[in-house]
Amino acid sequence: MRRLLLVGGGHAHVHVLAALAASRLAATEVVLLSPHARQIYSGMLPGWIAGQYAIEACALSLDALTRRAGVRFVQASCTGLDLAAQQVHCSNGDSIPFDYASIDCGPVAQALDLQDSAGHALPLRPIEGLVAAWPGLLQRVRQANREFRLAIVGDGAAATELAFAIHARLEAEGLGQARLTLIGANPAPLAGFPFLLRRQAARLLAGRGIAHRAGRVVVAVRADHVQLDDGSRLAADAALLATGAAAPAWPAASGLATDAGGFIRVGQTLQSLSHPCVFAAGDVAAYADARPKSGVFAVRAGPPLAANLRAICGGQALQPWQPQRRALYLLSTGGRHALAAWGGLSASGAWAWRWKDRIDRRFVAQFGG
Ligand SMILES: Cc1cc2nc3c(=O)[nH]c(=O)nc-3n(C[C@H](O)[C@H](O)[C@H](O)COP(=O)(O)OP(=O)(O)OC[C@H]3O[C@@H](n4cnc5c(N)ncnc54)[C@H](O)[C@@H]3O)c2cc1C
């Protein structure tokens, strides 16, 4: 009996589990290792923060998916990988041997060299950490008897969408005493997105009183302020770290081939370039054709990954996969309105939000919610 070990219940692996539920692998034990019994679909997270969805509507049950697929679920994190012995080390102290492993554990929060940030800065990842902390942060805003200043460190897509979502939630609760500021190294939020989309986002942010501190890097987070790289301070009662995706340390430490950022280098079959018994997909992978870290590409990798894991376990030929060149980005702006980008094109409106809502709900429903 061979063993296939799935590390992480990410967007590509939920497709692998669904494919196994439809048709199991012969003579193969499949194990899923992931720290939580559910997978939060990040595309709906801003909507949860804004108060548009219950958290259950944004979550896939890994418990239910593994049961349907006949997969053994180990609720723990991978902490290390021993490639010579072909086993992973787990946060519960166990080690799990494998014949083939597939890694879809997502990124970690970018490790900023922040002084004394412990306890004051709230990172977006792990997402379960943010989900656990958000009600407490909201409660602090409700209880503040003066202006509550929230700094959002970052000005990319996740940071900007969260700023809109938080603003919408505070407005809905009548908490007008909050002041939101995005802080980023770029001249304007959403660097890399089409010009017209950036311009519209900037207008919407300004219209809602969400400030952008441009061209600055946060060097320290303290209890009552963040310190910027030019020596200035911005008063802040809380700081959210939305600074982008970094690779976990253990893949590179194990000796797997990684890119300069520590992301696992894979070929078109999604096999590691150095260890073909290891596959990787989603944000933790550095694809042969480089693509942005985005849920879209993690989701798209699911079907080819499922097919190639089935092929390698059955001794069949693996098929190459080339991710699509462009992805559709739909960024909600708090209410029932969203910005849309496709390559260099952009548009916006209530229709874009309805479209996003339909895509997101369909994704969760597809995997049994
Ligand atoms: C607020 C926010 C909004 C976003 N909105 C969008 C959007 O609208 N569209 C879009 O395309 N992208 C969006 N993104 C980016 C998107 O979240 C990521 O690109 C996507 O989650 C990557 O999927 P993944 O499968 O690689 O990893 P993840 O979705 O992060 O899943 C990884 C899984 O592995 C588990 N895991 C983590 N570490 C370990 C470990 N050591 N061992 C075992 N298991 C582990 C995790 O618990 C999780 O279940 C957003 C990100 C954020 C933060």
Side-chain angles (χ1 to χ4, degrees):
M1 187 87 154
R2 73 182 77 81
R3 181 179 288 143
L4 168 63
L5 175 60
L6 306 175
V7 179
H11 292 80
H13 276 174
V14 293
H15 188 95
V16 172
L17 293 174
L20 290 172
S23 166
R24 295 192 182 176
L25 291 175
T28 307
E29 186 203 17
V30 187
V31 178
L32 173 74
L33 176 66
S34 208
H36 302 283
R38 65 183 184 184
Q39 162 75 359
I40 302 291
Y41 177 53
S42 58
M44 292 174 82
L45 198 64
W48 171 68
I49 295 216
Q52 291 168 332
Y53 306 118
I55 195 67
E56 295 74 28
C58 317
L60 309 173
S61 167
L62 295 178
D63 238 357
L65 275 167
T66 49
R67 257 186 279 116
R68 285 200 289 271
V71 168
R72 181 157 69 90
F73 180 36
V74 177
Q75 195 173 338
S77 296
C78 171
T79 54
L81 179 58
D82 182 339
L83 290 163
Q86 291 201 192
Q87 58 181 17
V88 302
H89 303 306
C90 310
S91 53
N92 61 7
D94 289 347
S95 293
I96 306 177
F98 62 83
D99 297 285
Y100 302 109
S102 175
I103 303 173
D104 177 20
C105 63
V108 294
Q110 207 164 60
L112 296 179
D113 193 15
L114 290 177
Q115 303 159 29
D116 195 22
S117 64
H120 302 315
L122 171 60
L124 292 197
R125 283 184 181 275
I127 284 178
E128 289 284 358
L130 176 68
V131 169
W134 166 246
L137 179 55
L138 185 57
Q139 192 59 11
R140 283 180 62 201
V141 185
R142 290 185 188 124
Q143 287 170 348
N145 47 17
R146 55 162 176 75
E147 186 183 62
F148 190 93
R149 300 141 312 179
L150 177 62
I152 300 177
V153 185
D155 57 9
T160 306
E161 222 183 343
L162 274 180
F164 280 129
I166 292 170
H167 178 269
R169 179 61 175 267
L170 300 181
E171 283 285 295
E173 294 209 14
L175 298 168
Q177 75 273 29
R179 178 163 166 69
L180 271 57
T181 305
L182 288 161
I183 306 165
N186 300 298
L190 299 171
F193 279 84
F195 170 73
L196 290 176
L197 183 137
R198 276 185 284 136
R199 196 172 64 180
Q200 170 143 28
R203 274 196 200 132
L204 290 171
L205 288 167
R208 288 167 203 187
I210 303 171
H212 179 239
R213 192 71 173 255
R216 291 273 68 92
V217 172
V218 172
V219 293
V221 179
R222 313 273 190 217
D224 62 353
H225 70 272
V226 295
Q227 181 138 2
L228 307 180
D229 56 345
D230 61 353
S232 65
R233 288 175 168 197
L234 183 76
D237 300 293
L240 274 175
L241 294 189
T243 39
W250 55 265
S254 73
L256 275 180
T258 57
D259 70 5
F263 296 99
I264 303 167
R265 293 187 65 205
V266 294
Q268 289 192 323
T269 56
L270 298 172
Q271 286 168 289
S272 152
L273 291 188
S274 57
H275 296 79
C277 62
V278 176
F279 291 69
D283 279 6
V284 79
Y287 296 123
D289 307 290
R291 293 289 182 271
K293 302 294 176 203
S294 138
V296 174
F297 294 110
V299 168
R300 291 298 173 119
L305 178 65
N308 279 344
L309 292 175
R310 184 174 296 278
I312 202 156
C313 289
Q316 287 155 0
L318 277 60
Q319 299 301 318
W321 173 63
Q322 195 172 23
Q324 64 197 76
R325 203 162 287 283
R326 293 191 178 131
L328 172 68
Y329 288 94
L330 293 163
L331 305 177
S332 51
T333 58
R336 291 168 182 261
H337 175 273
L339 306 170
W342 171 258
L345 304 175
S346 65
S348 64
W351 62 269
W353 184 84
R354 285 195 299 273
W355 194 13
K356 174 174 170 53
D357 178 59
R358 211 163 34 238
I359 292 172
D360 289 347
R361 285 181 192 269
R362 201 168 48 205
F363 180 83
V364 174
Q366 185 189 345
F367 297 105

